[in-house]
Structure formats: C-alpha cells, structure tokens
Amino acid sequence: MELKRGKFQGVLNILSFNRHFYIIGISILLVFGLSLYIINWNITIFWIVIIAFIYGLIAPLIVSAYVYDFSGYYKMSWLNNLKLNSSKITQIVNINAGFDETSFILNKKFETAQIRVFDFYDSRRHTEPAIVRARKVSSVFPNTQQINSRQIPMNNKSADIIFLLSALHEIRSNSEKIDFLKECKRILKPEGHLIIVEHLRDLPNLLAFSFGFTHFFSKKNWLDVLKKARFVETRESKFTPFMSIFVSKI
C-alpha cells in the first residue's frame, strides 16, 4: 500500500486538525463584526482588527498549501541536497507522533533498505487536540511499533538514518526531548545521520501562523537539546523559508 495525497491535502489537514481554532476565530470575528451595530467603534480600529483576524485565519492555510502541497516536501527531493550515500544505507528508522504521512514514501525512496517505524505518542504527555485528531485519520505503516519516548527497541549502532519529520515538537518538555535524542544517538551507527525537519519559532513562521508559532521551538532550542544529547555536529538548511532541516551526526 502506498499513501496517496490528495490535492490541497496539507490545507485540509490544517483545517481538520485545528478546527477548534477556526471555529473560535470565526465566532469571535462574527461577534466583533456585529458589535459595530452596538458599540460606536472608531472605524479605522474596527477594520484593522477585522483584517488582522482574517489574516490570522487565512495565512496559515496559504503557507500550508505552499509548504505541504506545492513545494515538493512529500516528494522528498530535498533529501538529494543532503548527499546521502544510498548504496550504503541498509536500515532506516522513521519516528512519528501518531500521524504518519512519510513512511510509505521513505520505503519507496530507499528501496534497498529496511525501514522500521515507531510512534512515540503518549496520551498522558502529548495532549495537543490537533495531534489527537490526526491520529484518528493517519495511515499506519505495517508493523509500526508504539514506543516510550525514552526507549527505542533497537540495538546499539544499528540505524543508518533516523527521520523525525515534523514530529519531535510534539514532545514539549526539553528534558524528555533530550532523553529521546540520547536514545536516537544510541541506535545510530557511527557514520549515521539524524534528520529532523521542523517549523521554527521565528519571524517567517510568526508571519505565517501568528501566535500559533509558539507551538514550534526556536533554532537555538533545537541546537541546545541536540548538544545536550551529545550530538557533536549539527547543520541546518532551509526547506522553504518556513521549515528547517537539521542533520546531526554522532
């Protein structure tokens, strides 16, 4: 089975998984609009607020369409820029937080490698409504294993590449992230790579997601937790202005 993405799947996912924000936002917008007939608003302030609300609702959808539907993210062409030696890759690990749109794609891209897929979602710790909804509709790669974020059931130095694609930010605690990354380091081969793809808490994502950008972490935070997990080398590259690729080695 291969996961087939529909047109504007990224936008539809954002709307579906974060519908509580859109319901609240549209409700507030309607109430504020009706208040014009009750309160003697300064018309300039009124329209500034209206435009700001509309921008806050629409901008994430436009950016999501760009990143997830039109940039080629799910074609994995960005992996070519990392100059990985595919002929020497025998063991791929893909770890998600219960929403998996990439394992089937990676399995096809690295046809000669074995892929193991893990899901670190813990309903007691990872309580974001969006990820709870995403889990209900996610396609599950065969033999996906549910794991604790502090223990990956693999031997030391057994993985060539570990992928964490838009997943690790669901672990909100830095200490939990560090413990998890130490486990990733343990199972990586000496010449292996840890590949993390994330939105950042930075200006482009502030402009795209307004206060929703606080769901992401800063570049400084990612470099700090990777350093504390004792990854000795990390390089960052950009995939669109809104997403960063961190490649770490041990």
Side-chain angles (χ1 to χ4, degrees), residues 101-161:
E101 289 188 302
T102 57
S103 291
F104 289 102
I105 300 169
L106 290 170
N107 190 48
K108 185 176 181 180
K109 188 168 184 67
F110 296 94
E111 292 181 326
T112 61
Q114 180 186 11
I115 182 169
R116 295 192 65 179
V117 181
F118 299 109
D119 171 3
F120 64 71
Y121 174 78
D122 183 340
S123 59
R124 295 169 300 175
R125 292 192 181 105
H126 314 140
T127 57
E128 288 288 330
I131 196 63
V132 173
R133 294 191 184 108
R135 287 177 61 79
K136 295 179 180 179
V137 299
S138 177
S139 295
V140 179
F141 190 82
N143 301 315
T144 296
Q145 289 182 253
Q146 190 80 33
I147 63 170
N148 184 299
S149 62
R150 290 182 169 89
Q151 185 176 12
I152 301 173
M154 289 185 66
N155 294 331
N156 295 349
K157 302 178 182 180
S158 56
D160 293 290
I161 306 178

Side-chain angles (χ1 to χ4, degrees), residues 12-49:
L12 293 175
N13 285 345
I14 292 292
L15 281 172
S16 176
F17 304 155
N18 298 282
R19 58 181 176 268
H20 53 296
F21 288 124
Y22 282 90
I23 291 171
I24 292 170
I26 291 171
S27 298
I28 292 173
L29 186 62
L30 289 173
V31 170
F32 188 80
L34 291 173
S35 73
L36 183 63
Y37 298 96
I38 302 171
I39 301 171
N40 186 25
W41 285 105
N42 178 294
I43 198 65
T44 301
I45 294 176
F46 176 84
W47 281 111
I48 288 174
V49 173

Side-chain angles (χ1 to χ4, degrees), residues 4-249:
K4 293 184 178 179
R5 290 179 59 81
K7 291 182 179 180
F8 298 101
Q9 188 67 52
V11 172
L12 293 175
N13 285 345
I14 292 292
L15 281 172
S16 176
F17 304 155
N18 298 282
R19 58 181 176 268
H20 53 296
F21 288 124
Y22 282 90
I23 291 171
I24 292 170
I26 291 171
S27 298
I28 292 173
L29 186 62
L30 289 173
V31 170
F32 188 80
L34 291 173
S35 73
L36 183 63
Y37 298 96
I38 302 171
I39 301 171
N40 186 25
W41 285 105
N42 178 294
I43 198 65
T44 301
I45 294 176
F46 176 84
W47 281 111
I48 288 174
V49 173
I50 290 289
I51 292 169
F53 258 96
I54 293 173
Y55 176 88
L57 293 171
I58 293 178
L61 303 181
I62 295 173
V63 171
S64 296
Y66 167 51
V67 173
Y68 296 111
D69 297 320
F70 296 105
S71 69
Y73 175 65
Y74 287 102
K75 292 181 180 179
M76 300 286 176
S77 56
W78 51 270
L79 278 172
N80 299 332
N81 298 328
L82 305 184
K83 298 179 181 178
L84 303 171
N85 189 344
S86 298
S87 64
K88 293 184 178 181
I89 296 171
T90 59
Q91 181 67 71
I92 298 290
V93 176
N94 191 30
I95 307 178
N96 63 72
F99 180 61
D100 185 3
E101 289 188 302
T102 57
S103 291
F104 289 102
I105 300 169
L106 290 170
N107 190 48
K108 185 176 181 180
K109 188 168 184 67
F110 296 94
E111 292 181 326
T112 61
Q114 180 186 11
I115 182 169
R116 295 192 65 179
V117 181
F118 299 109
D119 171 3
F120 64 71
Y121 174 78
D122 183 340
S123 59
R124 295 169 300 175
R125 292 192 181 105
H126 314 140
T127 57
E128 288 288 330
I131 196 63
V132 173
R133 294 191 184 108
R135 287 177 61 79
K136 295 179 180 179
V137 299
S138 177
S139 295
V140 179
F141 190 82
N143 301 315
T144 296
Q145 289 182 253
Q146 190 80 33
I147 63 170
N148 184 299
S149 62
R150 290 182 169 89
Q151 185 176 12
I152 301 173
M154 289 185 66
N155 294 331
N156 295 349
K157 302 178 182 180
S158 56
D160 293 290
I161 306 178
I162 301 173
F163 287 98
L164 287 161
L165 305 179
S166 298
L168 192 51
H169 68 274
E170 298 297 345
I171 298 179
R172 308 307 296 171
S173 162
N174 279 340
S175 63
E176 186 183 352
K177 280 203 291 287
I178 292 166
D179 287 343
F180 177 76
L181 289 169
K182 285 180 179 178
E183 269 293 279
C184 291
K185 181 178 184 292
R186 178 185 66 79
I187 69 171
L188 267 182
K189 294 179 181 178
E191 67 279 10
H193 298 80
L194 172 68
I195 299 176
I196 299 172
V197 179
E198 288 285 351
H199 290 278
L200 297 184
R201 191 181 295 183
D202 59 8
L203 180 60
N205 283 293
L206 171 61
L207 295 176
F209 299 102
S210 63
F211 291 109
F213 92 134
T214 58
H215 185 56
F216 310 128
F217 293 94
S218 67
K219 176 180 176 179
K220 181 179 182 298
N221 180 269
W222 287 116
L223 294 177
D224 184 57
V225 294
L226 284 162
K227 183 179 179 180
K228 288 179 178 177
R230 299 181 181 176
F231 282 87
V232 298
E233 179 186 341
T234 297
R235 69 180 188 272
E236 182 210 13
S237 58
K238 299 297 291 186
F239 178 75
T240 77
F242 305 99
M243 297 191 83
S244 285
I245 304 167
F246 296 96
V247 181
S248 297
K249 297 180 181 179

